[in-house]
Amino acid sequence: MTIRDVAALAGVSTATISRVVNRSGYVSPKTRSAVEAVIRQHGYTASRSARGLSSGRTGLIAVTVPRIHPSYFSVIVAGVADALYEHDMRIVLCPTLHEHDREVSLLARLVHGTTDGGVLILPEESPSELRDLMTHGFSFVVIDPRTRIDARVPTVSAANAAGATQAMEHLLALGHRRIAAITGPSALMANKERTRGYNAALAAAGLTPDPELTFESEFDVQGGAIAASALFDLAERPTAIFAFNDQLAIGAMRVALARNLRVPEDLSIVGFDDTSESELLRPALTSVRQPLAEMGRMGVSLLMRLVENRRLEAVHIELATELVIRGSTGPPGPR
Amino acid sequence: MTIRDVAALAGVSTATISRVVNRSGYVSPKTRSAVEAVIRQHGYTASRSARGLSSGRTGLIAVTVPRIHPSYFSVIVAGVADALYEHDMRIVLCPTLHEHDREVSLLARLVHGTTDGGVLILPEESPSELRDLMTHGFSFVVIDPRTRIDARVPTVSAANAAGATQAMEHLLALGHRRIAAITGPSALMANKERTRGYNAALAAAGLTPDPELTFESEFDVQGGAIAASALFDLAERPTAIFAFNDQLAIGAMRVALARNLRVPEDLSIVGFDDTSESELLRPALTSVRQPLAEMGRMGVSLLMRLVENRRLEAVHIELATELVIRGSTGPPGPR
DNA sequence: GGCCGCTCTGAAAACGGTAACAGCTGCTTT
DNA sequence: AAAGCAGCTGTTACCGTTTTCAGAGCGGCC
């Protein structure tokens, strides 16, 4: 079933079919309904390849993501997919496995004639590579940028600094004064922001950050465990730990329980992300929720404007986080 | 950068460029390297749209999946994506949100001119709709079929019956005799198979299944909780529960702990899927691992043969499961 | 009555590749 | 010596759309 077949059956030209299908230009109501009848009856759908070749728009959006599986990413992708579906666009999914080369070569190929734009989630590209991409005329947005990038690239992220401050204010209000931070890799902008929020909250409470209490490690359970062990070995133990993601918090909680520290009586723990794991833990984890699906949706909404209007004033959106209080935090014990 | 630009720069015809890029036909080494130099230098990539239009192959594979987020699906998708990447194909991701109409209309549009084939994960289509799809010449494989479908459609699933038997043999070997089953929706083929494995294991141990001990519910935490409550209210409580997925097991464990039943001393629990949650629970959950990523990979491997050879003898693949024993199972208490 | 503008429609030229076909060279075979 | 064939390359038709352009019909206005 090609457009020509439909045209022949309806007794009109292919141009008219195209106009009917795309709701563009003038078509008399009579012709329109006749064509629509033929289309319905024979189940015609336009070939995306042909359309892409002819009009330059493929209806496909590339989505790069380090990995699909960690729920952090899959929830964002779900939000992106949802929003794109509403625009009748499809998503070309590209897991990069954190490999810079893979991502670059993928994008290079997608830019040209495959997709109309891209949503880059935590991309590996350097700021200059992203700038090149932009000057080549590729429309894209970045969700959760790894580093500070060209101001003209639209970005969407969570309010990381504010979220960290929320977590800290909760702990401070409970009476904690020695609050440790287990940060993820400091190269990530999100972590820099969270650190900023951590320090800001301490300062606001009139406390000076103790460098001993900040520990950087990999963003995984293992990293959390290592950091927690080190913190517990300090002469003066912290009474609370703010972990920069839930994985780290899980690791910390494991070590705490292994050392017979009761949570939250002896140690309060706050995570970040509020992944589904956090309410599974016992005690359930207090965590800063990022609006991940929303971030995906918002990215698409920016991208659509970019794709349609061609170019758009710089936009950097930060979506508010929310502190979800569960059983892992409480007032510090009497010591 | 079009193929014509490259041809002009290299001083050859477009046909030669095409041959170099696709490694087809004869090209002298000298010409080849000259062309490759131009391509590298100017960063040419063929337009997928044009290629798709001309050759009929787009290098895109549609992947339908009910939802992205539950890790059950995202792990399968990750396996699919990984395998497709190796074939230099991209994945067009279509979350159907369990909506039959959405899935049907998506596929209808993808079949024609957009993708070369499809991987359908737990599809909503009826067997007859799938048959139609096949007779229309669309190449696809089904992963984890919902029901028994046309024997000519290649399918990949886990060895559900055998997996259930593994779980049961473990419980039986520990000495359990009253073993309840919390099944998911019995419409799903996977659940029928697991029920078959459950009954087979009981029979092999010389026990007759007690209908009181089988409880069907929705595949979620809530469903597990409801089922477990009912089971605990029986005159003679089961000493072990085999839940047909981990969500159900989590629900059951919650209710057990709420009723002050100790796991595993008073009650053993086995799950199915071995999702990442299972080792987070306290006690950690004994569960039947499905090789999800492998299933995705295997699906692609079948599909590739289908796409290349056109048509393929019926293949139904069952991948072996593995029982992962953790802390939630132990010998029954003395009562 | 001539002109304008609006509505509607069709012819035809792209869009960027692929692949069938033909043509050329130089070597091997008969 | 003619024929055949492998290796290499170019010409060109075609894939299924969109879009530009031109033209036809028609009512309203000066």
Side-chain angles (χ1 to χ4, degrees):
Chain A
M1 256 290 150
T2 74
I3 201 172
R4 267 180 265 273
D5 299 331
V6 178
L9 284 165
V12 296
S13 72
T14 60
T16 301
I17 308 297
S18 175
R19 280 190 277 257
V20 169
V21 171
N22 299 305
R23 289 165 180 65
S24 65
Y26 290 113
V27 182
S28 75
K30 192 160 142 289
T31 309
R32 172 179 298 279
S33 63
V35 169
E36 278 170 349
V38 172
I39 289 178
R40 235 194 331 278
Q41 195 179 338
H42 294 79
Y44 163 79
T45 35
S47 147
R48 262 183 205 256
S49 291
R51 178 176 285 177
L53 180 56
S54 174
S55 72
R57 280 168 290 113
T58 59
L60 261 25
I61 296 291
V63 176
T64 69
V65 66
R67 307 163 98 258
I68 306 175
H69 173 234
S71 72
Y72 182 81
F73 296 123
S74 63
V75 174
I76 297 180
V77 172
V80 170
D82 219 45
L84 282 176
Y85 182 82
E86 287 163 18
H87 287 86
D88 198 30
M89 308 201 86
R90 302 289 155 264
I91 182 179
V92 179
L93 188 67
C94 308
T96 63
L97 306 184
H98 289 290
E99 289 168 23
H100 175 263
D101 290 351
R102 187 188 281 239
E103 186 166 330
V104 169
S105 83
L106 268 170
L107 277 175
R109 280 188 281 182
L110 291 170
V111 167
H112 181 233
T114 305
T115 59
D116 298 343
V119 176
L120 278 47
I121 303 174
L122 194 60
E124 304 281 337
E125 272 87 3
S126 67
S128 75
E129 285 169 322
L130 290 175
R131 185 155 14 83
D132 287 353
L133 214 52
M134 193 177 53
T135 54
H136 271 56
F138 187 56
S139 304
F140 66 97
V141 302
V142 172
I143 295 184
D144 197 6
R146 187 173 289 273
T147 57
R148 195 163 296 288
I149 56 184
D150 193 300
R152 289 164 299 174
V153 176
T155 60
V156 178
S157 51
N160 287 299
T165 301
Q166 279 177 298
M168 291 299 289
E169 282 170 352
H170 169 60
L171 292 172
L172 289 163
L174 286 170
H176 293 276
R177 288 298 170 270
R178 274 187 77 71
I179 307 176
I182 305 182
T183 82
S186 61
L188 293 182
M189 209 171 88
N191 285 324
K192 286 189 190 135
E193 288 295 294
R194 289 173 201 174
T195 300
R196 200 159 64 76
Y198 167 79
N199 287 326
L202 286 179
L207 299 170
T208 47
D210 179 348
E212 218 179 44
L213 291 180
T214 299
F215 200 101
E216 176 178 338
S217 50
E218 291 304 308
F219 250 167
D220 53 31
V221 174
Q222 171 88 16
I226 294 170
S229 296
L231 291 169
F232 296 155
D233 287 339
L234 290 177
E236 197 183 347
R237 248 203 312 107
T239 63
I241 290 181
F242 173 29
F244 279 18
N245 81 0
D246 286 352
Q247 297 291 306
L248 292 173
I250 290 169
M253 194 179 293
R254 260 191 210 162
V255 172
L257 297 176
R259 294 207 181 189
N260 288 319
L261 291 173
R262 290 164 307 159
V263 178
E265 292 81 357
D266 301 325
L267 179 80
S268 286
I269 302 184
V270 181
F272 208 109
D273 287 355
D274 189 39
T275 48
S276 56
E277 284 110 342
S278 43
E279 63 175 334
L280 231 58
L281 288 177
R282 284 299 104 111
L285 186 66
T286 295
S287 188
V288 180
R289 170 177 298 164
Q290 296 198 55
L292 299 173
E294 268 316 304
M295 285 162 62
R297 272 221 179 63
M298 184 57 76
V300 169
S301 133
L302 292 182
L303 181 62
M304 289 299 106
R305 269 185 276 168
L306 209 59
V307 169
E308 284 157 19
N309 306 0
R310 324 270 63 169
R311 221 131 306 283
L312 163 78
E313 74 283 14
V315 186
H316 300 273
I317 293 187
E318 276 203 350
L319 294 178
T321 57
E322 179 195 0
L323 181 69
V324 180
I325 298 173
R326 298 202 183 81
S328 68
T329 47
R335 254 302 174 176
Chain B
M1 254 289 150
T2 74
I3 200 172
R4 270 177 260 274
D5 299 331
V6 178
L9 284 165
V12 296
S13 72
T14 62
T16 299
I17 308 299
S18 176
R19 280 189 277 258
V20 169
V21 171
N22 299 303
R23 291 166 179 64
S24 66
Y26 292 114
V27 182
S28 75
K30 192 161 143 289
T31 309
R32 170 178 301 278
S33 63
V35 169
E36 278 169 349
V38 172
I39 289 179
R40 232 192 334 276
Q41 194 180 339
H42 294 79
Y44 163 78
T45 36
S47 146
R48 263 186 204 255
S49 292
R51 177 178 286 175
L53 182 56
S54 172
S55 72
R57 280 167 292 112
T58 60
L60 260 26
I61 296 291
V63 176
T64 70
V65 68
R67 308 164 97 260
I68 306 173
H69 173 234
S71 72
Y72 182 81
F73 296 123
S74 63
V75 174
I76 296 180
V77 172
V80 169
D82 218 46
L84 281 176
Y85 183 82
E86 288 164 16
H87 287 88
D88 198 30
M89 308 201 85
R90 301 291 156 262
I91 181 179
V92 179
L93 189 66
C94 309
T96 63
L97 306 184
H98 287 292
E99 289 168 24
H100 175 261
D101 290 351
R102 188 188 281 239
E103 186 167 330
V104 170
S105 83
L106 268 170
L107 277 175
R109 280 187 281 183
L110 291 171
V111 167
H112 181 232
T114 306
T115 58
D116 298 343
V119 175
L120 279 47
I121 303 175
L122 194 60
E124 304 281 337
E125 273 86 3
S126 65
S128 75
E129 285 170 321
L130 290 175
R131 186 155 13 85
D132 287 354
L133 214 52
M134 194 178 50
T135 55
H136 271 56
F138 187 57
S139 304
F140 66 97
V141 301
V142 172
I143 295 185
D144 197 5
R146 187 173 289 274
T147 58
R148 195 162 298 288
I149 57 183
D150 193 300
R152 288 165 299 174
V153 176
T155 61
V156 178
S157 50
N160 288 298
T165 300
Q166 280 178 298
M168 291 298 290
E169 282 169 353
H170 169 59
L171 292 172
L172 289 163
L174 286 170
H176 293 276
R177 287 299 172 266
R178 274 186 77 70
I179 307 176
I182 305 182
T183 81
S186 61
L188 292 181
M189 208 171 90
N191 284 324
K192 287 188 189 133
E193 289 293 294
R194 288 173 201 175
T195 301
R196 200 159 65 76
Y198 167 78
N199 287 325
L202 286 179
L207 299 170
T208 47
D210 180 346
E212 219 178 41
L213 291 180
T214 299
F215 200 102
E216 177 178 338
S217 50
E218 290 304 306
F219 251 166
D220 54 30
V221 174
Q222 170 89 15
I226 294 170
S229 296
L231 291 169
F232 295 155
D233 288 338
L234 290 177
E236 197 183 348
R237 248 204 312 106
T239 62
I241 291 181
F242 173 30
F244 279 18
N245 82 0
D246 286 352
Q247 296 292 305
L248 293 172
I250 290 169
M253 194 179 292
R254 259 190 210 165
V255 173
L257 297 177
R259 294 207 182 191
N260 288 318
L261 290 173
R262 291 164 306 160
V263 178
E265 292 80 357
D266 303 324
L267 180 80
S268 285
I269 301 184
V270 181
F272 208 108
D273 288 355
D274 189 39
T275 48
S276 56
E277 284 110 343
S278 44
E279 62 175 336
L280 231 58
L281 289 177
R282 283 299 104 112
L285 186 66
T286 295
S287 187
V288 180
R289 169 177 299 165
Q290 296 197 57
L292 298 173
E294 268 315 305
M295 286 162 62
R297 272 221 179 63
M298 184 58 75
V300 169
S301 133
L302 291 181
L303 181 62
M304 288 299 106
R305 271 185 275 165
L306 209 59
V307 168
E308 283 157 17
N309 306 0
R310 323 270 62 166
R311 220 131 307 283
L312 164 76
E313 74 283 11
V315 186
H316 300 273
I317 293 188
E318 276 202 352
L319 294 178
T321 58
E322 179 195 359
L323 181 69
V324 180
I325 297 173
R326 298 202 182 82
S328 69
T329 47
R335 253 300 175 175

